[in-house]
Amino acid sequence: LIYYIQGESHPWTVVITAPYDTVLNLALSIGLPLSLMMIIITAFFYTIFAFLGRDITRPITELAEASENMAEGDEWRPERMEQRDDEIGQLTRAFTLMQNSVKQRLNESSLMLDVSRDVSSSLDITQGMPAILRGAYQGTSAAGARAIVQNPSTNQPLTFGEGAAAETMAKLDRAIINALRNRPELILETAAAIQQTLQLPHEATPRIQSLIALPLYSKNRFQGMIWVGYRTPHKFDTNEQNLLHTLAGQATILVENARLFATSEGGRRRLAAVLASTPDGVIVTDPTKRILLINRAMERIFNLKANEVIGRPVSNVIPAPLLIDALTSNQKPIRNPEIPVGKDKVFYANTSTIKGNDGQVMGRVAVLHDITHLKEIDAMKSDFVATVSHDLRSPLTFMRGYATMLTMIGEMNDKQTDYVEKILSGIDQMAKLVDDLLDLGRIESGTKLRDDIVEVEPLLADLATEHWQHAHISGIKLEVDVEPKDMVVIGDKRLIRQALTNLLSNGIKYAPNSGLMELRAEKVKKEVVFSVADHGPGIIKEDQMRLFERFYRAQEKGTEKVKGSGLGLAIVKSIAEKHGGRAWFQSERGKGSTFFVALPLSENGSKCRPD
């Protein structure tokens, strides 16, 4: 006999076998036909297996439905099947335990999500720490939770509590901190353990019967602690410990972020106070060449409003081309340009590139100092020096003439000859100074310059030949490099030659025995850039900002005997600017110096120098 029991998910196959003679004898003893006996036996077994099938398949079907409901977030309560003593009851109870475990994990995940959201939404400890303690209180079912952390703004610690027993637990804060130092955690599960570990008086019975405390460390620095307590002895399981360790990590991040924010905010306020009070204009740009910050002085200089220009391209805001070029040029900016503003103001701009710790360029900063008064004084000094220089030429001529004639009126001894040579040397130095002053006066007076066609390569080759002997005696080898060879500039050839001569003479005087000195010229965009590079001792930073000032000479050890008026570089700068160009330098201590003069490039001999 083969019979199929149709379950709700799949059929069960039942095979019943019996000897034929046994069924026949049973039918004859009862007095029934064999066919009727087979029908009775079949109906009997059908009833039995149908009942067994429902008893097996229905619980399994309910378990399948329960798993689907749990996946959708519904709760399942199988009280009836849990009471069974068979395998179905065991499976149901195991299923219930799994459901409770999953529910607990979901609750903990939801709790941590809420805590993380509250902590990340604020850098204020007074807002974030209560959220962490609420998570510890709710996630462990403790009587209370407490936290003691360092105040990022003062030396006084901050204390927080959550739960009915939090105020009572405060009495144990100091003792727990002392016991917790240099420990990864502190777990005390009985009142006796608390009394012994915290070294409480014998007569003092702690109201807290068990506790767990975790330290907060940031960069090996103790920042405080977080702990929970129970009114009864409590065995801390792994899930509770993991939850509290996670919350302690959140608390550590909160405290460290609050400390960093307080530090940066304090620095920002001090910087804002400095920038607001300084009389020098300050402007800062970001990597996209947009204005990041300007102070009040900069607002007054260019009649701007910070809230209207922050974030805008500097080229659309600042009406000063030289300053725009210093802040936006992809090439190394002019170190200290003079920025004219309006008709009667001149500002000295100190610009530099801002770089992060990784060397990445973060923008540029320029500081503008008002030098209008200094320029007026300088103009007065120039007028005075020019007048005096003219008046000195005649006396110097007489002095040189009569000093030279001393050797003609009679024989002189060696000492007298030495004195005359020193007098003539001093006269030559004074004459050179007067000539430099007169040249500088003529250049700055606005006298019209000549429009000579100056071929660059022959000019540099001639200079190298002229100074070859002087350089050789000083232990220097001159090298000329011009690219391209056919470059031409339009300008006053005598003055351009004088500017390059001054640079070459300075290099020979201040970098003796330094080996190779390179005299170069190259095309950079629409300019011819002349450069004189030595491998001497370099220039100290204290002297670099004043090198182009008149009468200023760097005073370094070993240069005391170098003769000069301090006007050579001032003349170079004036000549370059009068030709519509510029002059600057680069120097690194111990690696030499390179001085540059850039003049407008002339194409096909056409005039390109501004009138």
Side-chain angles (χ1 to χ4, degrees):
L1 176 64
I2 301 176
Y3 183 70
Y4 295 94
I5 300 176
Q6 183 66 34
E8 294 189 19
S9 58
H10 51 77
W12 294 44
T13 304
V14 180
V15 181
I16 304 171
T17 62
Y20 176 80
D21 55 350
T22 302
V23 176
L24 179 62
N25 291 334
L26 181 60
L28 292 174
S29 64
I30 298 176
L32 295 174
L34 179 60
S35 59
L36 181 59
M37 190 64 191
M38 293 296 293
I39 292 173
I40 292 173
I41 293 174
T42 300
F44 173 74
F45 281 105
Y46 174 83
T47 304
I48 291 175
F49 283 102
F51 176 77
L52 290 175
R54 286 193 300 271
D55 191 54
I56 293 173
T57 59
R58 185 181 296 119
I60 294 176
T61 301
E62 290 182 4
L63 288 174
E65 292 177 351
S67 65
E68 294 177 359
N69 293 336
M70 287 174 58
E72 295 176 359
D74 297 334
E75 188 174 358
W76 178 53
R77 298 182 180 278
E79 292 87 354
R80 181 174 58 82
M81 286 191 294
E82 285 183 338
Q83 297 173 1
R84 296 176 56 145
D85 295 331
D86 56 5
E87 287 80 0
I88 295 297
Q90 294 178 7
L91 179 59
T92 303
R93 287 189 290 273
F95 210 80
T96 302
L97 290 175
M98 181 182 69
Q99 175 185 246
N100 294 335
S101 178
V102 171
K103 183 179 178 181
Q104 183 179 0
R105 298 286 83 75
L106 289 174
N107 291 337
E108 289 179 359
S109 299
S110 177
L111 180 65
M112 289 305 305
L113 180 61
D114 292 339
V115 171
S116 298
R117 183 173 58 249
D118 292 338
V119 171
S120 61
S121 63
S122 174
L123 293 173
D124 188 354
I125 292 182
T126 60
Q127 295 183 16
M129 193 59 69
I132 294 175
L133 292 184
R134 281 194 298 271
Y137 176 65
Q138 296 171 6
T140 60
S141 300
R146 289 190 60 78
I148 298 89
V149 298
Q150 291 186 355
N151 192 328
S153 302
T154 65
N155 294 327
Q156 296 297 324
L158 297 174
T159 60
F160 303 89
E162 190 72 26
E167 186 174 350
T168 302
M169 293 165 55
K171 299 177 182 178
L172 299 178
D173 286 345
R174 184 180 296 275
I176 293 175
I177 284 183
N178 293 333
L180 187 62
R181 290 185 182 275
N182 301 321
R183 293 190 184 187
E185 62 183 9
L186 182 64
I187 300 178
L188 305 175
E189 298 179 337
T190 64
I194 292 176
Q195 194 156 22
Q196 180 181 0
T197 304
L198 302 185
Q199 299 180 359
L200 301 178
H202 294 289
E203 63 276 6
T205 302
R207 295 185 181 182
I208 299 301
Q209 302 291 302
S210 57
L211 64 87
I212 178 171
L214 300 174
L216 307 180
Y217 279 99
S218 176
K219 298 179 180 179
N220 298 324
R221 181 170 49 194
F222 184 76
Q223 299 279 15
M225 71 169 182
I226 180 173
W227 69 286
V228 297
Y230 295 78
R231 294 189 184 277
T232 58
H234 183 79
K235 186 72 173 179
F236 294 95
D237 59 28
T238 302
N239 292 333
E240 289 176 326
Q241 294 183 40
N242 290 340
L243 175 64
L244 291 173
H245 275 284
T246 303
L247 291 172
Q250 292 276 3
T252 301
I253 294 174
L254 175 64
V255 174
E256 180 65 13
N257 287 345
R259 185 188 68 81
L260 294 174
F261 177 75
T263 302
S264 62
E265 181 65 11
R268 187 195 67 80
R269 290 178 179 176
R270 288 191 294 270
L271 177 60
V274 171
L275 292 178
S277 59
T278 181
D280 292 341
V282 179
I283 182 170
V284 181
T285 62
D286 62 15
T288 64
K289 301 173 184 178
R290 295 175 180 272
I291 296 177
L292 188 64
L293 178 149
I294 62 172
N295 68 343
R296 294 177 184 174
M298 184 64 74
E299 290 180 297
R300 291 192 295 268
I301 293 172
F302 293 107
N303 193 23
L304 303 173
K305 292 183 179 179
N307 58 348
E308 295 178 355
V309 300
I310 297 298
R312 293 176 57 187
V314 65
S315 58
N316 296 344
V317 174
I318 303 298
L322 283 177
L323 182 58
I324 292 173
D325 184 62
L327 291 171
T328 62
S329 175
N330 292 326
Q331 298 180 358
K332 189 166 183 178
I334 303 174
R335 187 175 180 85
N336 300 307
E338 292 183 0
I339 311 297
V341 177
K343 297 181 179 180
D344 55 354
K345 288 287 186 180
V346 180
F347 291 86
Y348 177 86
N350 189 352
T351 62
S352 61
T353 301
I354 304 172
K355 293 184 178 181
N357 294 331
D358 56 355
Q360 184 178 1
V361 176
M362 303 174 64
R364 284 181 181 168
V365 58
V367 180
L368 271 63
H369 180 69
D370 191 349
I371 58 171
T372 304
H373 181 61
L374 297 178
K375 295 292 288 185
E376 293 173 351
I377 294 176
D378 187 60
M380 294 172 60
K381 182 183 69 175
S382 299
D383 293 341
F384 172 76
V385 169
T387 302
V388 172
S389 300
H390 281 287
D391 293 341
L392 283 175
R393 298 201 70 171
S394 296
L396 286 174
T397 303
F398 291 139
M399 292 168 62
R400 164 168 281 281
Y402 285 115
T404 304
M405 293 173 60
L406 288 175
T407 58
M408 303 177 183
I409 59 176
E411 187 176 353
M412 294 189 297
N413 57 35
D414 294 341
K415 201 171 195 65
Q416 291 172 332
T417 302
D418 181 52
Y419 288 163
V420 171
E421 290 178 354
K422 289 182 178 180
I423 291 172
L424 292 174
S425 176
I427 292 172
D428 290 339
Q429 290 184 37
M430 290 188 67
K432 179 65 170 57
L433 174 60
V434 170
D435 290 339
D436 287 343
L437 288 171
L438 293 175
D439 287 341
L440 188 60
R442 281 194 296 269
I443 295 169
E444 295 186 347
S445 65
T447 303
K448 185 174 178 60
L449 304 180
R450 296 175 56 185
D451 291 329
D452 301 323
I453 298 177
V454 182
E455 296 179 354
V456 174
E457 185 180 29
L459 173 63
L460 297 189
D462 189 37
L463 286 173
T465 301
E466 180 181 335
H467 291 82
W468 173 85
Q469 186 176 10
H470 186 194
H472 180 71
I473 294 173
S474 299
I476 293 174
K477 179 182 178 181
L478 295 179
E479 181 179 277
V480 176
D481 182 19
V482 179
E483 188 63 36
K485 306 294 185 181
D486 58 348
M487 286 188 298
V488 174
V489 294
I490 299 295
D492 194 315
K493 184 175 182 178
R494 184 184 66 84
L495 293 181
I496 294 174
R497 184 185 182 93
Q498 181 180 357
L500 297 177
T501 299
N502 287 356
L503 295 181
L504 196 55
S505 299
N506 272 5
I508 295 172
K509 286 192 297 184
Y510 288 97
N513 302 311
S514 58
L516 183 65
M517 180 174 292
E518 297 149 305
L519 183 57
R520 290 198 186 104
E522 59 181 334
K523 179 182 178 182
V524 180
K525 293 184 178 180
K526 295 184 178 181
E527 291 181 322
V528 175
V529 179
F530 299 90
S531 62
V532 177
D534 64 61
H535 297 82
I539 303 168
I540 61 175
K541 290 185 177 180
E542 291 78 3
D543 289 330
Q544 289 185 13
M545 293 185 62
R546 302 187 59 188
L547 278 186
F548 287 103
E549 291 183 14
R550 300 175 189 176
F551 303 105
Y552 183 82
R553 296 186 63 203
Q555 299 296 327
E556 292 187 60
K557 187 176 181 180
T559 63
E560 299 87 352
K561 296 182 178 180
V562 176
K563 297 179 180 180
S565 62
L567 291 173
L569 292 179
I571 292 174
V572 171
K573 181 181 178 182
S574 294
I575 292 173
E577 291 177 349
K578 288 299 179 181
H579 283 80
R582 52 201 173 96
W584 73 99
F585 72 95
Q586 296 174 358
S587 182
E588 187 174 350
R589 192 64 174 166
K591 295 185 178 181
S593 305
T594 303
F595 283 82
F596 301 88
V597 171
L599 299 178
L601 178 66
S602 174
E603 297 181 3
N604 299 324
S606 60
K607 178 179 177 181
C608 62
R609 176 177 56 79
D611 291 331

